[in-house]
Amino acid sequence: MLERVKSNLNFRYFLYFFSFIAGWPCVFYLMGWLPHYTVNYLLLFALAAFFVVTKNEYRLPRPVAMLLVLQIVTWSIYAVIHGIDTSYFTRILMLCITYMFLEMQLSGDRLSFIKTYNWWLVFQVVAGTLGFLLVVAGILQPLFEFREMDMRPGYFFGLFTTNTYLDGLVRNAGFYDEPGALAFWGMYALIINKLFVDNKKVEILLIAGLISTLSLAYFIQIAMYAFFFYKEQRRKLFSYVAAFILALVLISSFNKRMNRAIFGRMEYNEETGTIAGDNRSKMTKVCWDIFLDSPFIGQGARHLIEISAERRVFVGANPNLSLACDGVVGQLVYWSPFFFLFSLRRYDKKYGWAFWILIAGFLQRPYDGTQLLYPLMSFTIVLQAYLQVNFVARNEEYGTEQKALA
């Protein structure tokens, strides 16, 4: 009996970790360490289905299940409306995998999934920061190069990878496709840890280590995080801010390129009316114009790619991408889990704070349902928040009953 439990536990953790590395943003398949991500996702679907079916436990709360159904039905309709666009079938597959992983979380220790995710991010951040310092010191060199999805060169340093490495400048991307991806998913880990685990060591390691990404979006999000969660602890907030700024100053002092990568990107450009690090404004305007041609249901994912090719302009990674692709209706459906999270602020303000930090992240790296981590981690936050709220409510109700009996 004990061996059977241990076997199930090992299989569960294997699936958890496999879901984090099966495809984008992890570059293992690009380096040849794993098969192509399509093979990995189909295998993940089959293995997760096997686990859930053999467990025969279906306990997903109705509100969370309804949010999944809403997205699946919407993307099914969109697939037809936009001419059998297969990218919407990919979204549905990702949602089905997400559903099974939510069921898996409910069939055992419900925090084991998010703890596994957090430690995976901590490992990337810590190892990458060590590697980052060794590269800056001239000790560590790339072990080999590989091609990223956009065909730019990627560099494997053993402790981390990056697509930004030139003339004294390097940025930590962990084992993700770019430093901004590590920063984005690192913020997810920070939020998840704060909401459900509150492990101080994990929090400090993530906050400090993610500086090595040199991500401007991260600097903005971490400022929001510090304000929301520590505004009532002024002494701790001041010490965190002082240490964070000191770390930035020390890193920027390594060389001129590092200085420009950190503080140079924060300078205001009077000609463009934006900060120097803003590389999204042009794409944002292009997507807005495309959105206006079909504001309710968008142009469709495949058609948007065709438009991008015709105009010879990249339309990804900007706040208006989802609007151009799926319109207002699609945007609202995409964000429906986060609206539900925001509604839980009436039970605890921290859910509202998490909502604003996440939405700020999407302005720089839009929600993309064809990539598993988006629905998987977003619905995980919603599920865990719902369970936490109900757990607290039941305890309060029990306490009231006990007082009445006394």
Side-chain angles (χ1 to χ4, degrees):
M1 180 64 180
L2 183 61
E3 288 300 319
R4 184 178 179 183
V5 171
K6 185 178 179 180
S7 177
N8 286 336
L9 183 66
N10 290 340
F11 185 51
R12 186 201 308 275
Y13 278 91
F14 165 76
L15 290 179
Y16 286 170
F17 185 66
F18 188 32
S19 70
F20 304 145
I21 66 173
W24 184 97
C26 187
V27 294
F28 286 166
Y29 74 95
L30 291 171
M31 294 192 294
W33 294 3
L34 288 175
H36 192 266
Y37 64 86
T38 53
V39 175
N40 296 334
Y41 283 143
L42 291 174
L43 179 61
L44 187 65
F45 175 85
L47 292 174
F50 173 77
F51 184 93
V52 172
V53 170
T54 53
K55 278 287 184 179
N56 196 27
E57 296 177 355
Y58 306 98
R59 299 182 293 181
L60 193 64
R62 182 178 177 82
V64 180
M66 292 306 295
L67 289 170
L68 280 168
V69 170
L70 171 64
Q71 292 203 1
I72 290 173
V73 171
T74 301
W75 305 142
S76 298
I77 295 172
Y78 265 54
V80 176
I81 291 175
H82 291 300
I84 315 301
D85 188 332
T86 55
S87 68
Y88 292 104
F89 296 138
T90 301
R91 297 185 191 187
I92 293 171
L93 175 64
M94 297 301 113
L95 288 168
C96 290
I97 295 174
T98 295
Y99 162 72
M100 289 184 286
F101 271 82
L102 296 179
E103 291 286 4
M104 288 168 62
Q105 292 178 50
L106 294 172
S107 67
D109 176 4
R110 70 179 182 86
L111 295 180
S112 60
F113 176 80
I114 59 178
K115 288 179 179 178
T116 304
Y117 174 79
N118 284 352
W119 283 113
W120 167 231
L121 266 295
V122 166
F123 171 76
Q124 291 184 86
V125 164
V126 172
T129 298
L130 176 60
F132 168 86
L133 295 173
L134 292 174
V135 172
V136 171
I139 299 172
L140 186 63
Q141 301 291 327
L143 299 181
F144 62 81
E145 293 185 22
F146 61 96
R147 288 293 166 184
E148 302 279 4
M149 282 187 70
D150 58 6
M151 300 311 295
R152 286 185 293 175
Y155 304 91
F156 176 68
F157 288 87
L159 293 172
F160 72 108
T161 69
T162 189
N163 66 350
T164 306
Y165 175 60
L166 68 158
D167 298 333
L169 173 63
V170 66
R171 297 173 62 192
N172 174 27
F175 296 102
Y176 288 165
D177 67 327
E178 62 175 354
L182 180 61
F184 180 87
W185 295 109
M187 280 305 307
Y188 257 76
L190 259 176
I191 291 170
I192 288 172
N193 176 68
K194 194 64 178 177
L195 293 182
F196 312 118
V197 184
D198 204 19
N199 185 316
K200 297 301 181 184
K201 291 182 180 178
V202 167
E203 181 182 47
I204 292 172
L205 288 172
L206 286 171
I207 291 175
L210 286 170
I211 295 175
S212 63
T213 64
L214 307 185
S215 167
L216 185 57
Y218 169 65
F219 298 154
I220 294 171
Q221 282 184 284
I222 199 61
M224 295 175 65
Y225 178 91
F227 173 75
F228 284 136
F229 289 105
Y230 289 100
K231 59 184 177 182
E232 296 177 359
Q233 303 176 46
R234 295 183 181 179
R235 183 175 296 180
K236 183 174 288 188
L237 176 61
F238 177 78
S239 61
Y240 274 17
V241 171
F244 194 88
I245 293 175
L246 178 60
L248 291 181
V249 171
L250 289 174
I251 293 172
S252 68
S253 67
F254 288 148
N255 55 61
K256 290 182 179 180
R257 279 192 173 275
M258 282 293 188
N259 185 274
R260 286 199 297 270
I262 297 175
F263 295 109
R265 295 162 70 199
M266 300 179 188
E267 294 175 357
Y268 182 73
N269 189 325
E270 293 183 0
E271 293 182 4
T272 62
T274 62
I275 60 173
D278 177 16
N279 58 358
R280 300 287 196 270
S281 294
K282 184 178 179 180
M283 294 182 289
T284 300
K285 185 180 184 306
V286 170
C287 277
W288 180 256
D289 293 337
I290 295 172
F291 159 70
L292 292 177
D293 291 334
S294 181
F296 294 105
I297 62 170
Q299 298 286 350
R302 186 168 59 189
H303 189 211
L304 190 63
I305 295 174
E306 294 170 356
I307 293 173
S308 175
E310 289 172 3
R311 299 190 181 187
R312 296 182 179 181
V313 61
F314 178 64
V315 296
N318 72 86
N320 293 331
L321 175 62
S322 298
L323 287 172
C325 183
D326 303 310
V328 173
V329 174
Q331 182 75 85
L332 292 175
V333 170
Y334 257 146
W335 286 8
S336 57
F338 306 103
F339 294 141
F340 180 76
L341 179 69
F342 186 68
S343 72
L344 297 179
R345 76 191 186 285
R346 64 182 183 272
Y347 300 104
D348 196 319
K349 292 181 292 185
K350 65 183 181 182
Y351 302 121
W353 299 339
F355 168 84
W356 291 115
I357 297 170
L358 290 169
I359 294 301
F362 295 143
L363 296 180
Q364 182 263 347
R365 191 170 293 270
Y367 191 107
D368 186 349
T370 63
Q371 299 162 352
L372 179 61
L373 277 191
Y374 279 104
L376 180 59
M377 300 314 303
S378 300
F379 274 97
T380 291
I381 289 178
V382 171
L383 172 64
Q384 296 295 342
Y386 179 80
L387 294 175
Q388 191 175 70
V389 164
N390 277 269
F391 176 77
V392 171
R394 285 197 302 270
N395 281 352
E396 289 179 350
E397 184 179 344
Y398 177 76
T400 302
E401 290 177 354
Q402 291 298 105
K403 287 180 180 179
L405 290 173

